[in-house]
Amino acid sequence: MSAQGSYDTCDSDGSHDIADAGLAGAGVRRIEWADRSMPVLRQIRARFAEDRPLDGLKIAACMHVTTETANLIRTLQAGGARVSLAASNPLSTQDDTAAALVEEYGASVFARAGTDRAGYYRHIHQALEIEPDLVLDDGCDLVNTLHTERTDLLGSVKGGCEETTSGVIRLHQMAREGVLRFPMVAVNDTYTNHMFDNRYGTGQSTLDGIIRATNTLLSGKTIVVAGFGHCGKGLAERARGMGARVVVTEIDPVKALDATLQGYRVLPMDEAARHGEVFITVTGNREVIRPEHFAVMKDGAILANSGHFDVEIDVRGLTDLAVEVHHGIRPHTDEYVLADGRRLVLLAEGRLVNLAAAEGHPAAVMDMSFADQALACGWLARSHQDLGPTVHRVPAEIDTEVARLKLDSMDIAIDVLSAAQEEYLSSWRSGS
Ligand SMILES: NC(=O)c1ccc[n+]([C@@H]2O[C@H](COP(=O)([O-])OP(=O)(O)OC[C@H]3O[C@@H](n4cnc5c(N)ncnc54)[C@H](O)[C@@H]3O)[C@@H](O)[C@H]2O)c1
């Protein structure tokens, strides 16, 4: 490998398609840096290397190609698996990580930063060439491709894991329609994933992306958070902590009431659009911000999305309204000039701002999500025969084990039930 040269992008035997193998050294350094903040996954890797729970299995994954994912792949390999990986979002692909995975860790990677839609799907197809026993998905596109275009491979898939809320929603729809052909584990639904990953990880990294892209001061700004789910709660809490006035928009009365009682101002988007200076969508829904909202926004309003798909801000509608677009006024920052001279600032083309303009969730958070993934793969390998072709929860023991290992790594001890307490909690006989 040359120290800095750019060569060998697409292997002739189809075992990888990456931008620049010469970046592998830089990738290894950053993967090891992330690993320092992933003590739980490290422990599981050591355990996997001894127990080999995935021996002989082939795993196809469609995930963000980041240093944290690289440490998950290393863990699956330590467990005995062969892994192929396609990028779940071309904007989040780190070319140096992709190079390191191919050159140093022996994975088959199909990912180039900024590839187009055709490249994205080509990479998913290439990753499936491994003929997987297990699949790992982040948004359900790989599972979808298997069920629509590669049905010849369905028979050998034992099961899989889904990492994100939007993917789990799609899987439930497939299961309801009776078309899902193998068990899928909703890793997203573990406490140690959605409580921490969505809340703290998305919360922090979304603001990080907005700040990196715009260098804006959040303090004193009116920030509109669309969606008060797991991600939205974390985001609102962090924005308020930085001195912003936070407005929440919702469609669910319970979530809206929760936001109100937490002290946020709750408004319909029609109204919020007039007040906001920064808008962030995290709903998992489409066209949450639309032309009628652009029409009343303040000059300079910043628009960012952190929901999984780039459908939450109606970018086409914005483009139609604009008389001029200044692309790349800063990295990941495009300015749309409207007929009356107002400028609206769209970040990361309406795609996941935390992955495009920042680095996604910090490694310390992904430590837990990927520990869940690794243990869920081990569970699937052991138990897939007993699981029907539907969406399954991760066993509670895995959640508890991951939380326990994380606390251990932080040197935090907790109390243990006494025998009398255990009996008290498990018996209905003792009265008040
Ligand atoms: N950026 C990231 O790194 C990251 C991480 C995790 C999840 N996600 C994505 O973020 C999205 C939200 O995830 P979540 O776990 O918070 O989901 P969630 O289901 O907990 O929350 C979504 C909320 O949005 C609300 N909502 C739906 N349509 C709306 C609309 N039109 N206007 C206002 N609110 C609306 C729902 O009522 C719900 O409260 C999903 O697409 C998920 O895949 C992104």
Side-chain angles (χ1 to χ4, degrees):
M1 191 198 327
S2 85
Q4 25 189 294
S6 166
Y7 70 100
D8 188 22
T9 54
C10 186
D11 200 28
S12 55
D13 67 3
S15 72
H16 64 258
D17 182 9
I18 57 175
D20 185 356
L23 298 173
V28 170
R29 285 192 293 280
R30 290 200 318 111
I31 290 166
E32 288 176 354
W33 170 260
D35 203 42
R36 291 190 213 171
S37 297
M38 305 182 86
V40 179
L41 196 60
R42 268 205 316 276
Q43 277 200 51
I44 293 170
R45 193 179 312 140
R47 215 190 276 173
F48 270 24
E50 276 189 17
D51 302 344
R52 305 282 289 177
L54 306 173
D55 226 3
L57 294 180
K58 292 172 287 180
I59 300 181
C62 179
M63 305 182 77
H64 298 289
V65 179
T66 61
T67 53
E68 294 80 20
T69 302
N71 286 317
L72 170 63
I73 304 291
R74 293 170 65 199
T75 306
L76 302 174
Q77 290 174 324
R82 249 181 69 205
V83 185
S84 69
L85 170 68
S88 62
N89 184 329
L91 286 184
S92 65
T93 295
Q94 300 166 354
D95 286 327
D96 59 349
T97 300
L101 276 168
V102 168
E103 297 292 313
E104 304 292 333
Y105 300 114
S108 298
V109 180
F110 306 93
R112 291 162 179 260
T115 195
D116 60 9
R117 189 178 161 78
Y120 169 73
Y121 279 104
R122 187 179 66 248
H123 286 155
I124 289 180
H125 277 278
Q126 286 173 308
L128 285 173
E129 287 301 327
I130 197 171
E131 299 181 357
D133 300 291
L134 297 178
V135 294
L136 303 185
D137 216 348
D138 189 335
C140 196
D141 280 344
L142 183 136
V143 169
N144 192 303
T145 304
L146 265 172
H147 283 76
T148 50
E149 294 174 55
R150 289 305 310 266
T151 49
D152 56 307
L153 298 176
L154 282 171
S156 55
V157 181
K158 298 175 170 55
C161 298
E162 170 57 51
E163 171 76 8
T164 197
T165 313
S166 288
V168 171
I169 290 172
R170 295 170 91 190
L171 286 172
H172 279 298
Q173 287 160 354
M174 291 175 76
R176 260 197 306 277
E177 287 176 26
V179 295
L180 186 63
R181 289 279 301 279
F182 46 77
M184 283 296 293
V185 182
V187 172
N188 176 75
D189 294 351
T190 56
Y191 280 106
T192 40
N193 185 313
H194 71 249
M195 283 274 287
F196 304 129
D197 176 313
N198 296 21
R199 192 160 181 170
Y200 303 104
T202 312
Q204 174 173 314
S205 60
T206 299
L207 294 184
D208 185 16
I210 293 170
I211 293 167
R212 288 196 207 192
T214 60
N215 197 24
T216 197
L217 178 70
L218 298 185
S219 194
K221 287 254 168 24
T222 298
I223 298 191
V224 178
V225 175
F228 199 65
H230 301 297
C231 295
K233 278 185 188 143
L235 196 47
E237 205 174 343
R238 260 134 214 88
R240 179 156 69 181
M242 292 183 77
R245 285 189 296 263
V246 178
V247 173
V248 169
T249 72
E250 252 298 341
I251 46 103
D252 178 335
V254 175
K255 304 279 179 62
L257 179 60
D258 188 11
T260 305
L261 297 190
Q262 288 194 39
Y264 300 107
R265 188 164 184 210
V266 174
L267 292 173
M269 184 57 86
D270 283 353
E271 184 63 23
R274 299 174 190 280
H275 302 290
E277 291 163 294
V278 179
F279 292 82
I280 310 167
T281 50
V282 261
T283 68
N285 207 344
R286 58 186 296 175
E287 288 121 28
V288 176
I289 304 185
R290 306 178 290 273
E292 66 259 37
H293 304 131
F294 303 137
V296 297
M297 282 180 182
K298 292 184 179 179
D299 179 34
I302 295 170
L303 309 171
N305 168 52
S306 219
H308 191 78
F309 294 107
D310 58 352
V311 295
E312 303 212 9
I313 300 171
D314 181 358
V315 177
R316 185 170 296 172
L318 180 59
T319 310
D320 290 346
L321 277 184
V323 291
E324 249 177 77
V325 183
H326 303 140
H327 287 290
I329 53 172
R330 289 172 58 91
H332 309 291
T333 304
D334 299 329
E335 190 175 69
Y336 288 71
V337 185
L338 307 188
D340 59 6
R342 279 177 305 123
R343 291 155 302 178
L344 301 184
V345 178
L346 178 67
L347 305 188
E349 301 164 23
R351 297 168 195 257
L352 292 162
V353 71
N354 63 331
L355 279 146
E359 293 177 58
H361 298 162
V365 166
M366 295 316 292
D367 189 25
M368 291 173 281
S369 313
F370 286 165
D372 286 325
Q373 286 270 14
L375 293 179
C377 280
W379 177 61
L380 265 176
R382 280 195 310 279
S383 322
H384 64 93
Q385 296 94 336
D386 309 325
L387 303 170
T390 183
V391 183
H392 297 267
R393 288 193 73 86
V394 175
E397 308 83 77
I398 289 185
D399 234 348
T400 310
E401 170 74 349
V402 170
R404 193 183 61 73
L405 290 172
K406 191 71 176 180
L407 284 170
D408 281 354
S409 77
M410 297 164 90
D411 244 352
I412 295 172
I414 59 170
D415 287 327
V416 179
L417 286 175
S418 67
Q421 286 173 333
E422 216 161 319
E423 195 192 325
Y424 178 77
L425 291 178
S426 60
S427 163
W428 57 270
R429 289 180 192 282
S430 39
S432 49

